[in-house]
Amino acid sequence: MRTALLPLLSLISLFQLSRSSDNGVAMTPAMGWSDWQSRNRFIDERVVSEAIDAMVKFVPFGYEYVNVDDCWQDSSRHPITNALQPNQVTFQHGIKPLADKAHSLGLKFGLYTAIGNITCDLNAHGDPTNVTYGPGHNPGSLNYYDVDAQQFADWGVDYVKVDECGGLPADENSDGVFDLYSKFYDAINKTGRPMYYVTCGMNSVTPDQMNNPSSSNRTWAYHVDLDGWRDNIQSISNGWFTEWINNNNRFYRDDNGWSGSDGWLTILDCANDLSKPEFSGPGAFADMDAMSIGCNNATNTDENSPTTALNHTDCANGRQTMVEQQSQFSMWSMMSAPLMIGGDVRYINEIDTPEVWRILTNEEVIAIDQDALGEPASVVQYYPDEWRRTLATYTKRLSDPASPRAVAVLNRGDDEISWSLTKAHLKLEDGGCESLSLRDVWRHEVVASAIPFASLNDDAVLYTFDVESHATVVLRVMC
């Protein structure tokens, strides 16, 4: 979730491989549901309870987390313990009953807080006269890391997202923010409860930085202080965000004055540049934020929610075609990103939303995301060139010697493109496959077989196919 006026680069830190077993989580990318895109600040215990029930049908496919983002908090801390407490209007029965319900159904439960003394958004049911945090603001965890971490543990929380939205000490700099995140990490460890810990720091960038990219900065402002974030904070959490403010809710938007093409393609470019195998893998995965899949359900209305809840969400502001939703799921899986459903999961099912269900439950694509090796894909080739990037070919190493690669071809343009996959595109090491077949994981069929791979030149064409506008073809190499 993001509401800042200036574009900010949010990064969730990496968990160093040498310490990735400290808490025993994030051996594969997280899968589940996050409420922010469909609910925004309009969240309550009824919606969360219904979402937990709805998530049960996704458990066989690997989904397990039910994550509540901002605005679950009360505008004041508990008068005795000083811990965060649930909003007295919207979560009257507390957090623990929801976590207990999730656990009883084979699910896990996640909550949100912030590293400063305020969170990112205003609570629809907050105190308009709140003197401590400002009208409508929610308290963050600054100065209460141990107290809040223990409270989360006592409630049975399994996943903690820690945002950075201000409210920091006046003399705090970026290095100091790292120290604060480290303190929260230590606080979680003290509880003895394994929690998937993600930290979300934000670096401001200017329009000039964004609109004047250089040859060494292809993703525009993404490299601002990036190495500092990646190198300094990678030892204290289970993931790091590559999310650009509110741009994961559409394929692209060409009317955006900041970046020219604001959309999840921007996240993908950032992730591709940042998510290297040495930084993203078991224990710590680049997080591209929740997917805007299931946002345009015809039945996605809630008569018990205010109209504003349906009009002021990321889902409402950026609905994708089914082709674009399938592409988003494909590329999140190729990048080994967490697969968090962004649409209102209560209205997603096999009967009412069969196309959305088909996308979210494609076990062949999920297997690529959840592969034990955990490596993100890398770009093999942009067409017509790196700057215009109308079409991109990606390859991803997999752990199975009998199926060592996945290949994705994404058409970012507005016209259908015919593309020829060559031997060089696979990036297979010599001796990896004497002959191979290619399986289309969306069509669930082998599309090319008995290819004498070892005897071919690098420019030999293995398979020629059409890629419609905004579509992604995903192929699995079978030796």
Side-chain angles (χ1 to χ4, degrees):
M1 57 135 302
R2 293 290 176 271
T3 58
L5 296 178
L6 291 179
L8 300 171
L9 175 60
S10 26
L11 303 170
I12 284 190
S13 57
L14 285 173
F15 197 48
Q16 208 170 39
L17 292 184
S18 62
R19 299 177 68 179
S20 64
S21 60
D22 282 4
N23 60 2
V25 300
M27 293 301 102
T28 57
M31 295 177 64
W33 174 73
S34 177
D35 72 292
W36 187 257
Q37 286 184 316
S38 62
R39 299 301 305 180
N40 202 272
R41 66 186 68 164
F42 303 94
I43 189 66
D44 57 52
E45 61 184 21
R46 176 186 61 84
V47 172
V48 176
S49 181
E50 291 174 358
I52 291 171
D53 289 330
M55 279 300 295
V56 172
K57 61 183 174 290
F58 286 98
V59 170
F61 302 95
Y63 295 89
E64 58 179 349
Y65 289 98
V66 175
N67 291 346
V68 179
D69 211 278
D70 202 356
C71 299
W72 62 270
Q73 313 91 328
D74 196 63
S75 56
S76 61
R77 289 182 165 272
H78 193 280
I80 298 175
T81 66
N82 282 325
L84 291 172
Q85 59 180 345
N87 187 279
Q88 301 301 297
V89 176
T90 52
F91 288 86
Q92 296 181 14
H93 298 92
I95 298 299
K96 184 169 174 51
L98 294 172
D100 288 346
K101 178 178 181 177
H103 297 155
S104 71
L105 296 174
L107 294 161
K108 295 179 179 179
F109 189 79
L111 273 185
Y112 166 104
T113 186
I115 204 70
N117 73 351
I118 57 173
T119 65
C120 286
D121 213 324
L122 304 180
N123 198 315
H125 298 278
D127 180 0
T129 63
N130 190 340
V131 176
T132 305
Y133 304 105
H137 273 290
N138 310 302
S141 290
L142 183 67
N143 300 323
Y144 296 97
Y145 299 155
D146 287 340
V147 172
D148 289 347
Q150 187 59 56
Q151 181 64 86
F152 289 170
D154 292 345
W155 283 337
V157 171
D158 307 290
Y159 181 112
V160 180
K161 173 185 173 181
V162 183
D163 223 330
E164 192 267 285
C165 302
L168 297 169
D171 60 348
E172 203 66 77
N173 54 34
S174 60
D175 290 334
V177 174
F178 299 146
D179 292 338
L180 296 180
Y181 279 131
S182 182
K183 290 177 182 178
F184 206 111
Y185 168 79
D186 291 338
I188 288 178
N189 278 351
K190 288 177 187 176
T191 71
R193 181 176 181 80
M195 289 184 252
Y196 194 122
Y197 174 52
V198 291
T199 64
C200 190
M202 303 193 295
N203 294 330
S204 297
V205 293
T206 67
D208 181 68
Q209 288 172 311
M210 294 195 64
N211 293 322
N212 291 283
S214 66
S215 59
S216 62
N217 188 10
R218 285 298 185 187
T219 49
W220 300 6
Y222 289 132
H223 295 292
V224 178
D225 196 31
L226 173 64
D227 290 334
W229 275 97
R230 204 165 52 179
D231 293 341
N232 285 288
I233 203 169
Q234 64 177 345
S235 64
I236 62 169
S237 69
N238 299 116
W240 52 289
F241 262 75
T242 59
E243 186 247 338
W244 195 251
I245 300 175
N246 282 339
N247 71 349
N248 59 341
N249 58 4
R250 67 201 77 207
F251 190 76
Y252 69 82
R253 186 182 69 189
D254 57 12
D255 64 340
N256 184 277
W258 288 95
S259 65
S261 180
D262 182 21
W264 64 254
L265 291 181
T266 320
I267 301 176
L268 178 61
D269 285 343
C270 180
N272 181 70
D273 283 358
L274 312 186
S275 306
K276 306 304 182 185
E278 61 267 31
F279 294 114
S280 186
F285 292 93
D287 195 321
M288 296 163 69
D289 211 338
M291 305 169 293
S292 291
I293 297 176
C295 284
N296 42 354
N297 302 338
T299 57
N300 190 359
T301 57
D302 188 339
E303 62 183 15
N304 296 311
S305 293
T307 302
T308 48
L310 305 177
N311 297 331
H312 291 78
T313 66
D314 291 351
C315 272
N317 292 328
R319 298 185 174 187
Q320 302 189 86
T321 67
M322 286 299 168
V323 168
E324 291 165 349
Q325 292 178 68
Q326 181 168 304
S327 282
Q328 188 174 28
F329 195 75
S330 298
M331 295 315 304
W332 262 233
S333 296
M334 287 293 293
M335 297 307 296
S336 295
L339 299 180
M340 291 292 176
I341 302 168
D344 195 327
V345 74
R346 298 174 299 160
Y347 304 104
I348 299 174
N349 57 69
E350 191 172 6
I351 304 301
D352 297 320
T353 57
E355 286 302 299
V356 174
W357 177 263
R358 178 187 63 83
I359 292 170
L360 293 173
T361 61
N362 186 323
E363 294 181 274
E364 292 193 64
V365 180
I366 291 172
I368 292 173
D369 178 78
Q370 297 288 296
D371 184 77
L373 197 59
E375 285 192 9
S378 59
V379 173
V380 179
Q381 181 180 358
Y382 287 117
Y383 172 85
D385 52 49
E386 183 179 355
W387 187 250
R388 285 173 286 179
R389 300 183 173 187
T390 303
L391 185 141
T393 303
Y394 301 80
T395 184
K396 175 177 180 176
R397 282 207 315 153
L398 302 174
S399 59
D400 184 358
S403 181
R405 291 277 176 175
V407 179
V409 181
L410 166 63
N411 183 354
R412 305 158 62 117
D414 295 330
D415 300 311
E416 184 175 285
I417 296 176
S418 180
W419 190 245
S420 293
L421 189 72
T422 68
K423 178 179 179 178
H425 286 145
L426 300 190
K427 295 293 182 182
L428 272 175
E429 295 79 6
D430 290 340
C433 282
E434 290 298 318
S435 65
L436 58 80
S437 300
L438 299 174
R439 180 177 175 83
D440 188 315
V441 298
W442 284 110
R443 292 166 56 181
H444 302 295
E445 65 181 19
V446 173
V447 293
S449 60
I451 302 171
F453 184 79
S455 63
L456 297 177
N457 296 323
D458 283 348
D459 59 356
V461 174
L462 308 181
Y463 178 48
T464 299
F465 50 96
D466 295 330
V467 189
E468 67 176 289
S469 173
H470 298 181
T472 302
V473 173
V474 183
L475 304 170
R476 186 145 184 168
V477 174
M478 316 292 290
C479 292

